[in-house]
Amino acid sequence: MAPVRVVHRYAGAVAMLAFAWAASAAAPDPKLREEIRKMHDAHQEARNPYDAQRIAATEERNIARLKEIVSSRGWPTISMVGEEAASSAWLLVHQSQRDPQFQLKVVALMEPLVARKEVNPQVYAYLYDRTHKPQRYGTQGSCLAPGVWQPREMEDPQRVDERRAKLKLTPVVLKEYALQVGAQSCK
């Protein structure tokens, strides 16, 4: 298997989100994979150094292009573009708060693809939680103070681990998870 570079560090999140699946090395559409990689790179470059206008312009271009891709090809799946590019496309949507309708459309497109292993279940959970209130998987919250993180309102919190298990996500003991996220994200 070819090496896969780690590409995602969601600011404020606790984990790297890309899996090194064999599909990454053998994606049938290398041209689309490369286009998404370049969009992701531009997305990251716009944030370093932080420039709100440059970020907004880059996100607008990226989302417009992703809408074209989704309209003509559907959501970029693992078998279409590889794990890295599929997760990169997700990151572009996840971090672009300017188009919540498109985020909801992407969540709906991703949901049936999770069971077919065409979408990383972890990235689906993050986008689902970002777009729904209450959240379902316990991935979203806010910093209350240095080292103190609290999850947003959650549907049926006692069953969060059951829902996470269905997506093959690690269990979440909310108190421990909050401490871990707070230590990493709430400076």
Side-chain angles (χ1 to χ4, degrees):
M1 174 169 31
V4 176
R5 62 188 173 110
V6 177
V7 295
H8 304 302
R9 218 180 62 190
Y10 171 58
V14 290
M16 295 299 184
L17 298 177
F19 291 118
W21 291 358
S24 295
D29 194 336
K31 195 172 181 180
L32 182 57
R33 179 182 64 223
E34 181 63 16
E35 180 181 4
I36 292 170
R37 185 193 63 75
K38 286 180 180 177
M39 291 166 62
H40 174 267
D41 289 349
H43 171 85
Q44 295 301 322
E45 289 167 12
R47 285 166 166 65
N48 189 18
Y50 185 86
D51 179 336
Q53 288 181 335
R54 193 170 69 167
I55 291 169
T58 302
E59 285 181 356
E60 190 174 317
R61 273 192 316 274
N62 286 342
I63 294 302
R65 179 60 184 132
L66 275 174
K67 285 180 177 179
E68 291 171 0
I69 292 166
V70 167
S71 177
S72 65
R73 309 272 311 268
W75 181 252
T77 63
I78 292 169
S79 65
M80 182 189 300
V81 297
E83 173 64 29
E84 183 178 341
S87 290
S88 291
W90 160 82
L91 182 69
L92 298 173
V93 173
H94 183 72
Q95 288 190 340
S96 179
Q97 298 294 305
R98 291 173 184 78
D99 197 339
Q101 305 304 353
F102 186 58
Q103 287 180 318
L104 286 168
K105 178 179 180 172
V106 169
V107 167
L109 292 170
M110 290 175 105
E111 187 170 17
L113 298 171
V114 170
R116 297 194 330 244
K117 298 184 180 179
E118 287 290 350
V119 167
N120 175 329
Q122 190 172 15
V123 301
Y124 166 76
Y126 269 80
L127 188 57
Y128 183 94
D129 282 356
R130 173 154 290 192
T131 58
H132 290 78
K133 291 179 184 168
Q135 67 178 317
R136 182 172 287 167
Y137 302 102
T139 67
Q140 304 293 300
S142 58
C143 294
L144 302 178
V148 181
W149 182 85
Q150 178 177 330
R152 275 192 356 227
E153 180 187 0
M154 193 177 322
E155 71 180 56
D156 194 7
Q158 293 76 21
R159 300 184 68 194
V160 67
D161 283 336
E162 290 174 38
R163 292 189 299 274
R164 290 176 66 90
K166 287 179 183 175
L167 296 182
K168 296 187 174 35
L169 299 174
T170 58
V172 136
V173 176
L174 286 178
K175 186 175 180 180
E176 291 173 18
Y177 185 69
L179 289 172
Q180 180 184 15
V181 173
Q184 292 179 359
S185 302
C186 302
K187 306 288 181 193

